[in-house]
Amino acid sequence: MTELTLAQGRVDRDRLLRLLQEYGVYAGVAALLVFNFAFTDHFVSAENFRTQAVQVAPVLIVALGMALAIGTEGVDLSVGSVMALSTSLLSLYLGYGPWAAVLVAVAGGILIGLANGTLVAHLGVQPIVATLALMVAGRGLALVLLPQLKDVRDPGMTALGSGDVLGVPYLVLIAVGLALLVAFVVRRTTFGRQLLAIGDSRPAARLAGLPVRRVLIVVYACSGALAAVAGVLATARLTASDPTSLGTLMELSAITAVVVGGTPLSGGRVRIGGTVAGAVLIQLLTTTLVKHDLPPSWTQMAQAVVIVGAVYAARERGKR
């Protein structure tokens, strides 16, 4: 009887951990929405929802690339610095036209990603070390190119940052489109299956003849490109290039969105829907704290708690 009770207890705990990992992020979003509906002044308005959606777009785009890196049992700490580098390049090349400047900015992000991927895939450097090095180098290069804040006065960029289609901002449409694209790549393409296989077991993937190095390089290049796109969109929204602060601690927000969304740090699985919900959760958390007069630094502490909780749940579930 006692053994049966203990076994039943383990099953219930496993079920609770699984539900927490699978659906905890959605429950968190729902709880914050209910709280704000009830206790936050001026939360329920079209303008506020538009503001929330616009602010979450860059975080979501960066988190999509982070999800791919984590899916291979890696991580990309350089995403914030890539955003800074992209805003510097955008400002420097805006004189050649907005589209040329955007292409140069995204190309800069891809180059940083290729450097990350090469260090990880060919030199065997741990992802956290490789991307940490590029995080420092990327921010430094951004500040060398543009040492101080500079206004971005271009009609095309202004339209990108503030324009909309039927009331839906361009930034939101781009973020949603990229989320759908990444989800399709992960779930429906050979590249996506190879990515997950590498994250599940890299030695097994090599034995199976998968192009491990090539996939890893492409994954980090995609992460760099997405971070650069986020930097361009953030610059367009702010109408200013600020390599000093743009993207600061973005890696923390992206990792939080991915992990709390159900993608395990151990790799082998990528949940894009959960990542979207995770990005929304972070935005709602920030808004809730700010609107109730709590310092923004509390958001970082709250994110740290969320990461620890998500990792603990995944670890406990993995033991069983």
Side-chain angles (χ1 to χ4, degrees), residues 83-94 142-143 146-153 157 231-232 234-246:
M83 290 181 67
L85 179 61
S86 69
T87 194
S88 295
L89 291 171
L90 184 74
S91 182
L92 289 176
Y93 287 88
L94 202 53
L143 290 172
L146 187 68
Q148 59 188 5
L149 186 146
K150 182 179 180 181
D151 290 340
V152 175
R153 303 293 184 187
M157 297 305 298
V232 169
T235 303
R237 181 172 68 86
L238 299 172
T239 64
S241 292
D242 184 9
T244 302
S245 62
L246 185 66

Side-chain angles (χ1 to χ4, degrees), residues 46-215:
E47 185 59 31
N48 180 56
F49 288 140
R50 177 188 173 96
T51 300
Q52 301 301 319
V54 167
Q55 290 180 345
V56 81
V59 178
L60 171 57
I61 294 171
V62 174
L64 293 173
M66 186 69 76
L68 297 178
I70 290 178
T72 64
E73 202 181 1
V75 72
D76 188 353
L77 299 182
S78 67
V79 289
S81 295
V82 170
M83 290 181 67
L85 179 61
S86 69
T87 194
S88 295
L89 291 171
L90 184 74
S91 182
L92 289 176
Y93 287 88
L94 202 53
Y96 295 93
W99 287 112
V102 169
L103 288 176
V104 171
V106 175
I110 292 174
L111 288 176
I112 294 290
L114 289 173
N116 282 328
T118 300
L119 289 172
V120 173
H122 285 282
L123 300 184
V125 180
Q126 289 293 323
I128 192 171
V129 177
T131 58
L132 179 63
L134 268 296
M135 178 181 78
V136 177
R139 180 74 66 177
L141 179 58
L143 290 172
V144 168
L145 294 174
L146 187 68
Q148 59 188 5
L149 186 146
K150 182 179 180 181
D151 290 340
V152 175
R153 303 293 184 187
D154 181 85
M157 297 305 298
T158 302
L160 177 63
S162 58
D164 60 61
V165 177
L166 300 176
V168 182
Y170 289 145
L171 276 66
V172 177
L173 291 173
I174 293 171
V176 171
L178 289 172
L180 293 173
L181 176 63
V182 173
F184 175 81
V185 169
V186 171
R187 296 174 63 89
R188 300 293 183 184
T189 68
T190 301
F191 174 78
R193 289 190 287 272
Q194 291 174 340
L195 182 157
L196 298 179
I198 291 170
D200 190 44
S201 174
R202 195 171 299 181
R206 286 198 180 95
L207 290 174
L210 299 184
V212 175
R213 290 178 176 174
R214 187 175 66 197
V215 171

Side-chain angles (χ1 to χ4, degrees), residues 243-294:
T244 302
S245 62
L246 185 66
T248 302
L249 293 180
M250 180 59 78
E251 58 279 355
L252 175 61
S253 297
I255 291 172
T256 306
V258 173
V259 173
V260 78
T263 298
L265 287 172
S266 55
R269 187 181 183 193
V270 174
R271 293 191 66 202
I272 298 302
T275 299
V276 175
V280 174
L281 178 71
I282 294 169
Q283 179 59 35
L284 286 175
L285 189 61
T286 304
T287 298
T288 303
L289 294 177
V290 170
K291 285 186 177 293
H292 289 270
D293 298 326
L294 292 172

